[in-house]
Amino acid sequence: MAEELPGAWFGFGFCGFGQALGSGRARRVLSPEPLRAPGAGLDVYRVSASWSYTAFVSRGGRLELAGAAGGAAGGCRDAWASEALLVLLRAGPGPEPGAELQAWAPGSALRGEPLWVHTVEAEAEGDDGPGGKPQAGPLPLLPCARAYVSPRPPFYRPLAPGLRARRLELGAEHALLLDEAGQVFSWGGGRHGQLGHGTLEAELEPRPLEALQGLPMAEVAAGGWHSVSVSETGDVYIWGWNESGQLALPTRSLAEDGKTVAGEAAGLHEGGPDVKSTAGGEDGAPTPFIAVQPFPALLDLPRGSEAVKASCGSRHTAVVTRTGELYTWGWGKYGQLGHKDTSSWDRPCRVEYFVERQLQPFLFSADQTNQKVIWEKNQTPQYIFLK
Amino acid sequence: MAEDINRDPLAGAGALWEALLALLPRTKEELKLDLSEKVERSVVMLLQEATELFYGGRRNECLQTSEAVLDYSWEKLNTGPWQDVDKDWRRVYAFGCLLKAACLCEASEDATTVAAALKVCDMGLLMGAAILGDILIKVAAILQTHLLSRKRPAQGPTQEQPSTKKARNEHVSIPDMKSERTVPRLHCPSLQYFRKHFLVPERPVILEGVADHWPCMKKWSLEYIQEVAGCRTVPVEVGSRYTDEEWSQTLMTVNEFISKYIVDEPRDVGYLAQHQLFDQIPELKQDISIPDYCCLGDGEEDEITINAWFGPQGTVSPLHQDPQQNLLVQVIGRKYIRLYSPQESEALYPHDTHLLHNTSQVGVRGTQCDMADSPPPHPVSGDQVGDLCFPQVDVEHPDLEKFPQFAEAPFLSCILSPGEVLFIPVKYWHYVRALDLSFSVSFWWS
């Protein structure tokens, strides 16, 4: 049975539409701020952020939208916000335990009729969550885990029967799936190496990542064009596009700005303006820049930390560790890294805001009802639930 | 004028600003975005907000808003194959560039700012699509004129051109062509003759006397190119050949390209290749014409793709084929070119794949490159996306153990000199190496 955990939400990043972050209409929020969800006292347990608006779902089933899209509704168990489509999982119309999937145009303010509706069958046997309610896998994966929602038609996409999906994440052109056994699958466009199969070829059907076979994964996350998975032992694997350092690998664009920190990771603020060209390794050989990493690379977090959860924006990555620290890296122009500035980083940097206040981003695994770190696919606000 | 400043939010000092304002619609109502439903409502809202801020004289806020529009639309431009990117997203990007460039110039008219604004225009031209009657070209022209009139210290050398007797030429290997079958040459054939004997049977030929009187043949020099295009931003390929691991694409001004990759013993090979320079800089287009033979095709004249190929001695285009007919006009320097018929394809060992590069993500001048401000991928040089063919064999240094059939494959070759035009039939495999500093213009038509 789920406890009523006290906690707070914090947000930072792009806020050009007033998406209910702390400081009103500032266009970007560079450091975490306590979230003021619309409707004071709304006990928010799920937040889904799109580029221009955010959806909040409370434990009482109330949905509130903020930003470029507005509106509210009841009876919601889950919400998934994207620019093209707002997808809601609502209690079914009849007495049966099924649920109804609804897709709305964000601009509709939830008035009128949804664009389409799909009845979702009740979850498979024995998966009931706390309180006897059917367990909802976070959208875009449907509760039955046999299909998922896409922001582009066809909206309802069944998964192959043999796949037992635990979690599914969508990037700009690709999809990641984590199954019950901890195996990662990917499919979709691969032009930036985001599928992790070692090529730039697209895959039409879910294909298992051979490089990760035998390493049970606990989490997956998809950015715009990159992918992250976290193993049960806390290791982070990352692959795809690195144009802003979102893979924590040396990137040319940051080197030219004097900001790359290739090579040894020393202090947090290494890499001054004299780092113009390739940074040197210890033997003076130039470190190659990586623009695309087509198969998983193991990422070392500072201090040997173990990761428990990962999440991605379109071009940045965040990881929460077992000891409750938040690390972010990649594109930072809108403050989405939470480091009080607009720098991009090509290596993990700790978000000091939480350390300074002795707050611990708290992690639950993805299939429980409390969402941890939610990122949007774009330059985006991020929301962190704290214990 | 002083009394206007309090009333007109757009009033600003400076002739440049006045000239730019004259190009733009006078009011925000007259600035028609005209975007389809493919563009998300939130983006349209943001873009409208940006134009309101602009016409309201709130420059800093307009800059921020335009930046957000640019960043969001840039991500759309990088989603999926370039051919599939909706044109309206490119127009959104172009609108963002227009507003950003204008805002920059309102603030200041010094050379650095204007150069930055010009770069923004060039990004809009490279990655965007036409808006408001090709306004970005007109804005770029004004900015360029302003920059030149200020006699900014040149970013590249303006004095001497490298003479053809430069030491580097000693290392160029002119192929020994005695044993090679050469491409036939014709002087000004009639259209019918050309069609009957070369276009229809798909045979290469060099046409003489066709382009040798074009203005470019006399006018173009390093100096002239720097004058006309020096401060403009263009995509440059760096690396010996695009099949190499270290190959990458980057953006720089023409002046930077010349100073870094043409003069002064460059360390790497840089090539301004397969770029529609003449759409970007209309002034250069006036120095060339469209060969009459292009009208023998089915397509319209405005569907002909004109590309510039400008680089130092030693640039190599590995063996490849194009999906259209090609007339290659040589303007500066000579190129060694080898041609294999599509019937010999097997002996060339092609394979279907996207190239994987350590430092850039590319698929033969076909797909995206890796920079944050990447220019649009070049049109796929080869078949359609998903069917890219790379002969693995190196034409001038073939590994005959690995590729035994290659030794027997018949081919034609030539050294193409200034004033000459080479007809490369559709799908004909071709390999090109520049023997000198070279500028070629290619016309792709169907």
Side-chain angles (χ1 to χ4, degrees):
Chain A
M1 173 152 139
E3 298 165 13
E4 285 303 305
L5 296 162
W9 289 94
F10 292 77
F12 43 99
F14 174 68
C15 191
F17 294 88
Q19 292 103 306
L21 289 188
S23 36
R25 287 204 61 109
R27 193 165 295 283
R28 21 185 193 194
V29 178
L30 307 184
S31 187
E33 291 186 2
L35 179 65
R36 269 203 290 277
L42 195 67
D43 185 13
V44 172
Y45 88 107
R46 181 89 88 220
V47 178
S48 179
S50 185
W51 176 66
S52 68
Y53 73 101
T54 310
F56 303 89
V57 182
S58 77
R59 285 192 183 80
R62 182 140 184 89
L63 166 83
E64 298 261 358
L65 302 178
C76 278
R77 286 162 48 186
D78 197 359
W80 188 68
S82 74
E83 289 307 295
L85 221 55
L86 167 67
V87 180
L88 303 180
L89 191 67
R90 300 178 81 168
E96 309 86 39
E100 191 174 76
L101 196 67
Q102 298 179 343
W104 293 80
S108 67
L110 298 173
R111 284 196 285 268
E113 293 301 312
L115 295 177
W116 57 269
V117 171
H118 184 95
T119 307
V120 178
E121 58 213 60
E123 284 76 52
E125 57 300 325
D127 281 353
D128 281 1
K133 283 208 286 210
Q135 194 71 284
L139 290 174
L141 187 61
L142 296 192
C144 59
R146 282 200 271 269
Y148 66 101
V149 189
S150 164
R152 289 184 283 273
F155 303 123
Y156 179 84
R157 301 196 182 190
L159 291 166
L163 283 174
R164 298 175 58 221
R166 195 203 308 177
R167 181 153 184 124
L168 186 143
E169 288 250 322
L170 298 181
E173 302 177 49
H174 74 299
L176 290 180
L177 184 149
L178 179 65
D179 78 357
E180 296 284 341
Q183 173 68 43
V184 178
F185 296 75
S186 68
W187 68 101
R191 302 158 83 79
H192 293 279
Q194 64 264 57
L195 299 183
H197 302 302
T199 73
L200 305 180
E201 307 296 322
E203 296 282 342
L204 292 176
E205 295 297 324
R207 179 178 160 185
L209 259 74
E210 281 156 23
L212 301 178
Q213 249 157 8
L215 294 166
M217 295 292 145
E219 296 288 339
V220 287
W225 300 270
H226 69 293
S227 308
V228 182
S229 77
V230 178
S231 74
E232 284 174 359
T233 51
D235 291 322
V236 178
Y237 294 86
I238 195 160
W239 60 97
W241 205 9
N242 190 47
E243 49 75 44
S244 286
Q246 59 263 56
L247 303 189
L249 295 170
T251 181
R252 188 187 299 270
S253 58
L254 291 184
E256 280 156 11
D257 295 342
K259 288 198 189 98
T260 196
V261 277
E264 306 305 308
L268 208 57
H269 299 289
E270 196 190 62
D274 49 317
V275 181
K276 279 283 183 253
S277 52
T278 51
E282 277 181 3
D283 57 357
T287 313
F289 295 118
I290 308 283
V292 164
Q293 174 67 26
F295 46 82
L298 176 61
L299 169 65
D300 287 324
L301 291 174
R303 296 174 266 269
S305 307
E306 287 176 9
V308 279
K309 180 92 165 89
S311 189
C312 301
S314 64
R315 294 148 68 188
H316 72 281
T317 312
V319 154
V320 179
T321 67
R322 212 177 286 286
T323 51
E325 294 177 317
L326 175 68
Y327 287 88
T328 60
W329 62 91
W331 193 38
K333 184 172 172 182
Y334 289 87
Q336 61 266 56
L337 299 187
H339 298 159
K340 298 187 204 156
D341 62 18
T342 57
S343 297
S344 300
W345 284 90
D346 60 3
R347 43 100 146 234
C349 288
R350 191 170 64 180
V351 178
E352 298 298 329
Y353 176 91
F354 299 108
V355 179
E356 288 157 7
R357 287 158 187 71
Q358 295 176 329
L359 297 171
Q360 289 187 343
F362 186 63
L363 306 169
F364 285 104
S365 55
D367 57 2
Q368 293 187 18
T369 54
N370 288 297
Q371 193 77 10
K372 275 316 126 290
V373 180
I374 303 180
W375 313 73
E376 193 22 1
K377 292 299 167 274
N378 298 309
Q379 49 265 46
T380 105
Q382 313 180 127
Y383 299 94
I384 318 249
F385 178 80
L386 294 199
K387 190 176 188 183
Chain B
M1 276 259 285
E3 66 269 20
D4 290 316
I5 291 181
N6 289 332
R7 300 197 317 178
D8 180 3
L10 287 181
L16 177 63
W17 176 244
E18 297 297 326
L20 288 180
L21 263 193
L23 284 179
L24 291 160
R26 292 192 44 221
T27 64
K28 77 169 192 279
E29 288 74 25
E30 289 174 48
L31 201 158
K32 303 271 178 241
L33 293 179
D34 238 347
L35 297 165
S36 76
E37 291 202 346
K38 284 264 170 65
V39 177
E40 291 139 8
R41 189 182 137 267
S42 48
V43 179
V44 178
M45 278 169 49
L46 203 62
L47 191 48
Q48 280 168 342
E49 186 186 321
T51 58
E52 272 178 36
L53 290 168
F54 179 78
Y55 285 98
R58 290 154 71 182
R59 181 178 48 82
N60 276 328
E61 292 172 76
C62 177
L63 265 176
Q64 281 188 28
T65 312
S66 306
E67 197 68 33
V69 168
L70 283 173
D71 283 323
Y72 188 80
S73 56
W74 181 87
E75 295 200 346
K76 293 292 183 191
L77 265 46
N78 277 276
T79 301
W82 178 250
Q83 300 87 311
D84 294 348
V85 172
D86 196 276
K87 200 165 182 188
D88 271 352
W89 280 116
R90 296 175 54 193
R91 296 181 62 239
V92 169
Y93 186 83
F95 275 116
C97 288
L98 175 67
L99 291 173
K100 179 173 176 180
C103 285
L104 288 175
C105 291
E106 202 240 331
S108 149
E109 300 198 354
D110 70 81
T112 315
T113 309
V114 176
L118 181 56
K119 174 159 185 187
V120 171
C121 285
D122 276 332
M123 291 309 303
L125 287 169
L126 292 178
M127 292 187 67
I131 50 166
L132 301 176
D134 274 323
I135 194 173
L136 280 176
I137 295 196
K138 300 174 192 161
V139 172
I142 291 186
L143 297 178
Q144 188 170 354
T145 310
H146 182 90
L147 270 181
L148 292 175
S149 73
R150 294 192 139 228
K151 292 190 184 40
R152 189 163 65 114
Q155 280 186 336
T158 48
Q159 55 293 18
E160 73 206 53
Q161 318 167 29
S163 77
T164 49
K165 299 186 188 60
K166 216 166 171 333
R168 260 181 316 130
N169 266 8
E170 290 169 13
H171 303 300
V172 73
S173 74
I174 313 275
D176 170 12
M177 294 175 55
K178 285 201 286 288
S179 57
E180 301 183 356
R181 278 174 59 219
T182 56
V183 179
R185 290 164 175 266
L186 280 184
H187 185 88
C188 280
S190 71
L191 293 178
Q192 293 85 329
Y193 190 93
F194 170 77
R195 189 218 303 262
K196 177 170 175 188
H197 294 273
F198 297 95
L199 178 60
V200 167
E202 294 181 3
R203 292 155 120 157
V205 62
I206 292 180
L207 307 169
E208 295 171 339
V210 165
D212 54 348
H213 292 305
W214 289 3
C216 59
M217 301 301 171
K218 286 216 167 72
K219 280 173 82 177
W220 288 5
S221 63
L222 276 189
E223 212 171 43
Y224 175 79
I225 290 166
Q226 283 178 287
E227 235 178 77
V228 165
C231 46
R232 304 300 298 271
T233 299
V234 290
V236 170
E237 302 177 352
V238 180
S240 311
R241 44 191 84 198
Y242 57 76
T243 39
D244 285 349
E245 267 206 9
E246 292 312 304
W247 188 87
S248 69
Q249 284 175 291
T250 187
L251 292 168
M252 62 185 72
T253 66
V254 170
N255 281 337
E256 286 165 344
F257 169 66
I258 290 177
S259 94
K260 193 166 178 189
Y261 294 104
I262 305 247
V263 299
D264 292 343
E265 307 253 337
R267 207 176 44 162
D268 297 314
V269 175
Y271 196 9
L272 205 181
Q274 198 174 323
H275 175 52
Q276 294 178 35
L277 188 66
F278 308 99
D279 289 342
Q280 188 186 3
I281 307 174
E283 194 178 336
L284 279 177
K285 196 165 184 179
Q286 295 177 8
D287 295 335
I288 60 174
S289 310
I290 297 185
D292 290 336
Y293 306 94
C294 296
C295 82
L296 293 171
D298 304 317
E300 302 289 327
E301 182 168 307
D302 56 10
E303 288 167 353
I304 298 174
T305 305
I306 309 176
N307 277 311
W309 306 77
F310 175 38
Q313 169 203 316
T315 61
V316 169
S317 294
L319 202 58
H320 68 286
Q321 41 179 201
D322 299 317
Q324 292 186 283
Q325 315 283 6
N326 185 358
L327 282 168
L328 182 66
V329 178
Q330 192 61 18
V331 182
I332 299 176
R334 300 161 301 158
K335 278 187 161 150
Y336 172 65
I337 301 174
R338 221 193 260 195
L339 300 156
Y340 290 82
S341 161
Q343 291 168 349
E344 307 302 329
S345 297
E346 247 194 62
L348 308 177
Y349 303 88
H351 62 98
D352 291 330
T353 191
H354 289 85
L355 287 175
L356 196 63
H357 283 244
N358 188 30
T359 56
S360 70
Q361 183 260 340
V362 72
V364 184
R365 292 188 181 141
T367 53
Q368 297 93 317
C369 40
D370 76 325
M371 309 101 41
D373 296 316
S374 65
H378 302 299
V380 172
S381 174
D383 279 336
Q384 280 67 51
V385 170
D387 194 10
L388 301 172
C389 282
F390 291 97
Q392 303 180 57
V393 56
D394 180 344
V395 166
E396 288 189 278
H397 310 282
D399 181 342
L400 291 174
E401 276 185 23
K402 248 174 124 178
F403 309 113
Q405 285 187 59
F406 183 71
E408 305 308 316
F411 63 86
L412 296 170
S413 67
C414 65
I415 293 183
L416 196 68
S417 298
E420 299 176 347
V421 180
L422 171 66
F423 168 60
I424 303 178
V426 57
K427 297 286 185 71
Y428 223 88
W429 296 97
H430 48 289
Y431 164 92
V432 184
R433 174 162 67 88
L435 302 178
D436 310 305
L437 163 70
S438 164
F439 201 129
S440 320
V441 180
S442 65
F443 297 83
W444 289 350
W445 49 286
S446 295

